[in-house]
Amino acid sequence: MPQRLTHLDDTGQARMVDVSDKQVSDRVARVGGEILMRSETVAAISSDTIAKGNVLATARIAGIQAAKRTAELIPLCHPLNPTAIVVDFEVLADRVRVETEVRLADRTGVEMEALTAASVALLTIYDMCKAIDRGMVISQLRLLEKSGGRSGTWVAPQDVAGDAQGDRC
């Protein structure tokens, strides 16, 4: 039997899911993503010579702000109050990886907040570096792990290269 989409009512209309009968539980979501770029762009980020300022510090703040405002951006998301938001980066030769983690105690999950944090952090990196590298590519945005709630814990399966997608950046 196919799984029912919870954001659609019996007539197929979009709706906000009623979570009032759910139990409050501790919930955590971890998301990863990356932005591919020229090595010269990575060097400029690493040496803090981007004209707009410190790229990673700005992207971290942008990601935190975005997680807190997810319900304003995604129409059917519940407004949540995260108790912790972490945005970390790993700078490699040809890319910057981001990993976000959002925690809270509530009736619904925080996957969208963690995804939004990672997305906006990556978009901020693009915005701050586009003057020197318009060919950057944002990719690999994905849920790495979630825990809490009725469905329990979920961890991303290993990718085709054999690397665990749930490994920390």
Side-chain angles (χ1 to χ4, degrees), residues 87-103:
V87 179
D88 285 327
F89 301 99
E90 180 182 16
V91 180
L92 302 170
D94 65 345
R95 69 194 71 210
V96 175
R97 288 187 179 151
V98 65
E99 185 172 301
T100 62
E101 181 176 286
V102 181
R103 296 176 171 273

Side-chain angles (χ1 to χ4, degrees), residues 25 27 29-30 43 47 53 56 71 87-88 117 134 151 156:
S25 68
R27 297 164 185 266
R30 199 164 52 84
S47 63
L56 300 183
V87 179
D88 285 327
R134 293 200 185 271
S151 62

Side-chain angles (χ1 to χ4, degrees), residues 6 10 13 15 51 55-56 69 136 148 163:
T6 59
D10 293 336
Q13 298 299 309
R15 68 177 175 109
V55 173
L56 300 183
R69 301 188 75 167
M136 293 175 286
D163 296 327

Side-chain angles (χ1 to χ4, degrees), residues 72-130:
E72 295 174 34
L73 301 169
I74 311 295
L76 301 177
C77 282
H78 291 84
L80 300 175
N81 293 310
T83 56
I85 302 167
V86 177
V87 179
D88 285 327
F89 301 99
E90 180 182 16
V91 180
L92 302 170
D94 65 345
R95 69 194 71 210
V96 175
R97 288 187 179 151
V98 65
E99 185 172 301
T100 62
E101 181 176 286
V102 181
R103 296 176 171 273
L104 59 69
D106 212 318
R107 290 178 162 86
T108 189
V110 293
E111 293 96 323
M112 294 309 299
E113 286 71 15
L115 283 159
T116 301
S119 299
V120 171
L122 292 167
L123 288 167
T124 300
I125 293 170
Y126 185 95
D127 178 57
M128 293 188 73
C129 299
K130 69 185 178 206

